[in-house]
Amino acid sequence: MGRQDEDALLLEDALIESDSSLYTGDGSVDIKGQPVLKSKTGNWKACPFILGNECCERLAYFGIAINLVSYLTKTLHQGNASAATNVTTWQGTCYLTPLIGAVLADAYWGRYWTIAVFSIIYFIGMCTLTLSASVPSLKPVEFCVDAACPSATPLQYTFLFTGLYLIALGSGGIKPCVSSFGADQFDDTDPNERVKKGSFFNWFYFTINIGAFVSGTCIVWIQENKGWGLGFAIPALFMGFAIFSFFIGTPLYRFQKPGGSPITRICQVLVASFHKRNLLVPADSSLLFETTEKRSAIGGSRKIIHTDEFEFLDKAAVVSSIEQEDGNSLSSWRLCTVTQVEELKILIRMFPIWATGIVFSAVYAQMSTMFVEQGMAMDTTIGSFTLPAASLAGFDVISVILWVPVYDRIIVPLARKFMGQGRGFSELQRMGMGLFLSVFCMAAAALVEMKRLDVVKSLDLVHQNVAVPISVFWQAPQYFFLGAAEVFFFIGQLEFFYEQSPDAMRSLCSALSLLTTALGNYLSSFIMTMVTYFTVRNGKPGWIPDNLNEGHLDYFFWLLAGLSFFNMLVYVVCAKVYNSKAAS
């Protein structure tokens, strides 16, 4: 080859490299499946539509969730423990159904179409709930006669819970996909866009809390003062805006191709490794099976570098003598790539970190249950104005709204300077700080309840089911601590499960992170059930009776504080031994 030919080839390579730099390097495409130009798609130009969708959807959700316990006790005449259990069970289901949406998104539909379909289901559920609170025949009479309150009929309960659980199903397609879809707008192979992605998660959570703030103040006030029908109709309207905002940004979005069923790939690794349990894993990992292509055999995924942990699973990638002889008849149930094996290893490594989020979510669940019921037993008046107890959740939201810009604009730059990391603190460090703050949240709630019960005894109100003359604003510190804990833990958790998850399992891993919230709500219900079972004996009212003046809600809060502290210690150990993902 002559010098002139070499120069021509070098020039051609340079042109190809220059042309490829115009496109994303992470395999993302447009809605038609074509490679996308960086300058015209994704990045922050696509994010306003996604953030607008999330803000409106969260306003709709919190417009229901924040004050639902009040609706169940005041309109449906349920007891405190029963209403709290119904709310935490429903909220838990809202964070359990994302597993359905995640599998559909990763395996078949992709994140965009999963969000679109389930948003419509969500909207139908909101309309059903609005009807249940608006049509007189679909709700019980609100007024009690001689302290006897009519309970809801089976039909009324059926209509109400149909709406609620359609919302739970709809949220299952949105929650695991929307944060990952937003992060997909930033090219993972571009260092500048990777830094912006870290900032996206902060502002994503910021918009969530803007929606929650409007719900916790304006929507709750409308529900308490203008009627539940209107109070549920407005969130339904905002859900309609959420769908509109999402669709209008379609031309600007970057899409990741679905990589096939992640559950199937996990099962294939388990079956193949068991089938080859008697084979030896070669000392040289390069002898394990992997595709020779630049990208992995899994759609929408980069290759993952081999690790030495969980060697038994490596047997799935061992090429047997039979497979060497007949390379054309390779079965995915008998031979898996190293990347496929590493996907399962990543999930196993993340499991202990994932499990510690359950207790934190149990603490978070108190904001919409026992914190509200504690507030309802306090003085909620400000002059002539009566503040709904659920509105105190606004302090949590204010705390988040203050902490997000402080963290993103002040704490992160300082952490970069002193710790040398592009994102300041690592995801694991950030989550650990959130767990630490959650202990203070529950301790503050317990101290407030102790103060409230002291006033109850001093005024001889123990056997009177009345609000105690102690301002509900005493609850502010526990909400502020919870908001700060959220900023550190929940946002760190979003980043952790997106960054550490395999490329083709990001929706599934987001769903698993949300599953901790579901299990946290179920744990809260379980703890409450056990507390009721063991404390309501021999004529005693127990820790959480309908009349909180007779109970000891402070004991319940101290129990959760102790559980949070122990959980934090377990987390520290798990975080120290965690090994991060390494993509090629």
Side-chain angles (χ1 to χ4, degrees), residues 51 92 109 139 141 201 225 276 320 360 390 400 486 494 560:
L51 295 177
W109 296 352
K139 58 181 179 178
V141 178
F201 284 111
N225 295 276
K276 297 179 177 179
S320 68
F360 181 87
V400 171
E486 281 181 70
L494 277 174
L560 287 179

Side-chain angles (χ1 to χ4, degrees), residues 27-45:
S28 55
V29 296
D30 63 17
I31 194 167
K32 296 179 180 179
Q34 302 300 316
V36 290
L37 287 168
K38 282 187 179 182
S39 60
K40 294 185 177 180
T41 60
N43 219 312
W44 282 111
K45 67 173 66 69

Side-chain angles (χ1 to χ4, degrees), residues 273-291:
S273 57
F274 179 79
H275 181 74
K276 297 179 177 179
R277 60 190 180 278
N278 296 322
L279 297 182
L280 294 176
V281 177
D284 184 359
S285 62
S286 65
L287 298 176
L288 296 173
F289 178 67
E290 182 58 276
T291 178

Side-chain angles (χ1 to χ4, degrees), residues 244-321:
F244 175 77
S245 173
F246 181 72
F247 280 122
I248 201 173
T250 300
L252 298 174
Y253 295 150
R254 298 173 183 175
F255 302 80
Q256 290 290 339
K257 296 178 180 178
S261 172
I263 305 299
T264 300
R265 294 199 302 275
I266 290 171
C267 292
Q268 286 172 342
V269 172
L270 294 173
V271 170
S273 57
F274 179 79
H275 181 74
K276 297 179 177 179
R277 60 190 180 278
N278 296 322
L279 297 182
L280 294 176
V281 177
D284 184 359
S285 62
S286 65
L287 298 176
L288 296 173
F289 178 67
E290 182 58 276
T291 178
T292 56
E293 302 296 326
K294 184 178 180 181
R295 296 185 70 85
S296 79
I298 303 166
S301 175
R302 294 166 293 173
K303 291 181 180 179
I304 305 175
I305 297 172
H306 174 264
T307 59
D308 295 327
E309 295 176 293
F310 314 114
E311 188 179 273
F312 175 79
L313 297 176
D314 287 332
K315 294 177 184 288
V318 174
V319 182
S320 68
S321 57

Side-chain angles (χ1 to χ4, degrees), residues 27 41 131 182 186 238 265 435 441 449 492 509 554:
T41 60
L131 287 174
F186 300 90
F238 272 95
R265 294 199 302 275
L435 292 177
C441 167
E449 184 63 13
C509 289
D554 54 331

Side-chain angles (χ1 to χ4, degrees), residues 137-195:
S137 61
L138 295 177
K139 58 181 179 178
V141 178
E142 293 190 27
F143 301 103
C144 303
V145 179
D146 296 328
C149 300
S151 60
T153 65
L155 174 63
Q156 291 167 344
Y157 272 125
T158 299
F159 209 84
L160 169 69
F161 285 107
T162 296
L164 286 174
Y165 282 91
L166 278 175
I167 293 170
L169 177 61
S171 68
I174 299 172
K175 287 178 186 292
C177 298
V178 68
S179 62
S180 296
F181 186 66
D184 287 345
Q185 307 310 309
F186 300 90
D187 186 357
D188 228 15
T189 64
D190 186 322
N192 292 326
E193 291 198 15
R194 277 183 61 84
V195 172

Side-chain angles (χ1 to χ4, degrees), residues 188 194 302 304 342-343 345-347 349-350 353 423 426-428 431 492-503 505-506 509 578-583:
D188 228 15
R194 277 183 61 84
R302 294 166 293 173
I304 305 175
E342 290 299 320
E343 282 186 329
K345 288 185 181 181
I346 288 171
L347 294 182
R349 286 199 296 268
M350 288 197 299
I353 303 295
R423 293 188 179 181
S426 70
E427 297 96 341
L428 291 174
M431 291 166 67
Q493 188 184 53
L494 277 174
E495 287 190 75
F496 176 79
F497 280 97
Y498 184 87
E499 291 296 331
Q500 295 300 313
S501 65
D503 293 344
M505 287 188 177
R506 280 175 168 160
C509 289
Y578 180 79
N579 290 324
S580 297
K581 178 187 78 171

Side-chain angles (χ1 to χ4, degrees), residues 530-547:
M530 290 296 99
V531 163
T532 302
Y533 176 78
F534 286 108
T535 61
V536 181
R537 290 186 174 184
N538 302 321
K540 294 181 179 179
W543 289 1
I544 314 174
D546 290 342
N547 177 11

